[in-house]
Amino acid sequence: MKVAVFGAGTMGSGIAQVFAQAGNETYLYASSPASAQRHKDKLAAGLQKRVEKGKMTQEAVDAILNNIKIEEKAACADCDLILETVKEDM
C-alpha cells in the first residue's frame, strides 16, 4: 500500500513509522521537504536509541527508514491512503 501523511509532527511521524514498519511505502510531508527531513531524522534518532538498548535491530530500523520517503507533493497523487495530521490553529 502507498500512504501519504501530511503533517510530520509527533503524531504524523509516529503514524508514518507505523505504516512504514508494516512494510508500506510511506510519504511524509511537512511545510517543506527540509522540515519533513528534519522530522524523519528525529524519528531515526529515536529508533537508533532502541537499537542501542537492544530492543530493535539495525536492519529493522533501516527497513522502516527506507519505507519513509520525502518527496514533492505530486508523488502522492496515486496513494491508496492520505492522512492529514496538520496542526490546527483555532
Side-chain angles (χ1 to χ4, degrees):
M1 179 165 49
K2 189 173 177 182
V3 179
V5 180
F6 284 85
T10 302
M11 187 168 78
S13 60
I15 291 169
Q17 176 188 340
V18 170
F19 276 104
Q21 198 165 334
N24 298 293
E25 184 177 359
T26 306
Y27 291 82
L28 185 61
Y29 296 98
S31 57
S32 70
S35 177
Q37 185 62 51
R38 282 191 301 274
H39 287 288
K40 182 179 177 182
D41 293 343
K42 186 176 178 182
L43 176 65
L47 292 172
Q48 192 60 43
K49 287 179 184 177
R50 294 182 59 89
V51 171
E52 292 166 5
K53 292 179 181 180
K55 296 183 177 188
M56 185 176 264
T57 65
Q58 186 63 51
E59 292 78 20
V61 169
D62 292 343
I64 292 167
L65 295 176
N66 286 334
N67 283 335
I68 298 176
K69 318 278 190 227
I70 308 295
E71 300 283 338
E72 295 297 324
K73 291 180 179 125
C76 76
D78 63 342
C79 282
D80 301 303
L81 178 64
I82 298 176
L83 297 154
E84 179 267 325
T85 63
V86 177
K87 178 184 171 189
E88 295 181 19
D89 288 322
M90 300 262 189

